[in-house]
Structures are given as structure tokens and as C-alpha cells.
């Protein structure tokens, strides 16, 4: 598995690819994943993430990715990718659309292997930001929403 780390305004991210597909984006610099020149999916993802933090709205859906997960998780992650930049949905709204519970949606969000690229940070609770498992938790989620104009 290839890896590449990048520095962002919210901290380091380590990107992982298996062959031609991006498989994970993890917060922090992987201790056992030295910076490499990276493979094409890593370089494309790194460029898109830099653009995201700098000034753009890259089309992360254009990335070749292999997210794994259960059939249910993949359904939730597909819905997450459909949430436009600068918009949010509640756990309840997604749950209703998927015929499940808000808790199940939250669990799938927490298992999302592609932070930012599959924008689980755009899912909020009815009464506040909800949880976030990446970076510095809710502070990171709030910073991502603020970046997108949705603090």
C-alpha cells in the first residue's frame, strides 16, 4: 500500500492508495508511512485537498477510490458525497432518506475511511454540530464547516 502525507491548515493528513485507488485519508502523519513520491491517486488526492483548503471546490467524486465497508456504510457514504459543498444535512434527514436511524448514520459517518473526500463533516445533529472522529474532533468539524461557509 502506498502512502503520502500532506500538511493542511488543520494538521497533517496521510493518504493511502492500493494500486490505482485511494483507500483512506487519516488525520495525522502515519508513523510508519514515510513520505514517498506517491502514486497517481495519491498525487491527485493531495492536489485536490490542497485546493480544497486553499480556495477551491475540487470534484472529489472524480477520484478513483475503493472505500470498502459494508453495503449499508457504502449507501451512507454515497449520500454524503451528494451533499454539496457549503451545505449540511442532519443525521435524521439522511436516516429518513435511507430508512434507518440517525444513530446508524452516525456510526457509518464515524467509520468513513476518506475524511473530507467523503464529507461526513457535512452531517450535523438537529441541535448542533454532532460528533466527529477525525483530527481534533468537533473542533476540526467546525473548522471544516467554517471553511465551507457553514460554521
Amino acid at each position: 500500500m502506498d502512502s503520502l502525507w500532506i500538511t493542511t491548515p488543520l494538521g497533517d493528513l496521510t493518504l493511502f492508495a492500493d494500486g490505482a485507488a485511494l483507500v483512506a485519508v487519516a488525520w495525522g502523519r502515519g508513523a510508519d508511512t514515510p513520505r514517498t513520491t506517491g502514486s497517481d491517486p495519491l498525487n491527485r488526492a493531495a492536489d485536490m485537498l490542497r485546493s480544497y483548503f486553499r480556495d477551491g471546490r475540487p470534484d472529489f467524486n472524480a477520484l478513483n477510490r475503493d472505500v470498502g465497508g459494508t453495503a449499508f456504510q457504502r449507501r451512507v457514504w454515497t449520500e454524503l458525497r451528494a451533499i454539496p459543498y457549503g451545505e449540511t444535512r442532519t443525521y435524521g434527514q439522511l436516516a429518513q432518506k435511507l430508512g434507518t436511524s440517525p444513530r446508524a448514520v452516525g456510526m457509518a459517518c464515524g467509520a468513513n475511511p476518506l475524511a473530507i473526500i467523503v464529507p461526513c463533516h457535512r452531517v450535523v445533529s438537529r441541535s448542533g454540530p454532532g460528533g466527529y472522529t477525525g483530527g481534533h474532533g468537533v473542533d476540526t468539524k467546525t473548522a471544516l464547516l467554517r471553511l465551507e461557509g457553514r460554521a
Side-chain angles (χ1 to χ4, degrees), residues 64-78:
N64 184 22
R65 59 197 176 281
D66 181 3
V67 293
T70 66
F72 174 74
Q73 288 171 331
R74 288 190 305 272
R75 284 179 52 219
V76 172
W77 299 336
T78 296

Side-chain angles (χ1 to χ4, degrees), residues 4-129:
L4 175 70
W5 60 262
I6 64 171
T7 299
T8 77
L10 298 179
D12 291 334
L13 292 173
T14 302
L15 293 71
F16 299 91
D18 192 1
L22 185 68
V23 296
V25 174
W27 290 95
R29 186 180 304 176
D32 297 321
T33 55
R35 189 169 194 162
T36 67
T37 56
S39 62
D40 185 53
L42 292 175
N43 288 325
R44 284 191 72 202
D47 288 345
M48 288 182 174
L49 284 163
R50 287 183 192 107
S51 174
Y52 171 83
F53 282 105
R54 185 180 56 248
D55 58 4
R57 299 179 188 190
D59 182 9
F60 290 128
N61 288 327
L63 287 172
N64 184 22
R65 59 197 176 281
D66 181 3
V67 293
T70 66
F72 174 74
Q73 288 171 331
R74 288 190 305 272
R75 284 179 52 219
V76 172
W77 299 336
T78 296
E79 291 299 322
L80 298 180
R81 289 194 315 271
I83 303 171
Y85 180 97
E87 294 185 22
T88 59
R89 301 292 183 271
T90 67
Y91 296 101
Q93 287 171 318
L94 291 178
Q96 184 175 21
K97 187 171 186 177
L98 293 167
T100 190
S101 72
R103 181 179 294 267
V105 170
M107 295 295 288
C109 287
N112 173 17
L114 292 174
I116 303 169
I117 291 171
V118 175
C120 56
H121 62 277
R122 295 181 188 152
V123 182
V124 297
S125 77
R126 187 176 48 207
S127 60

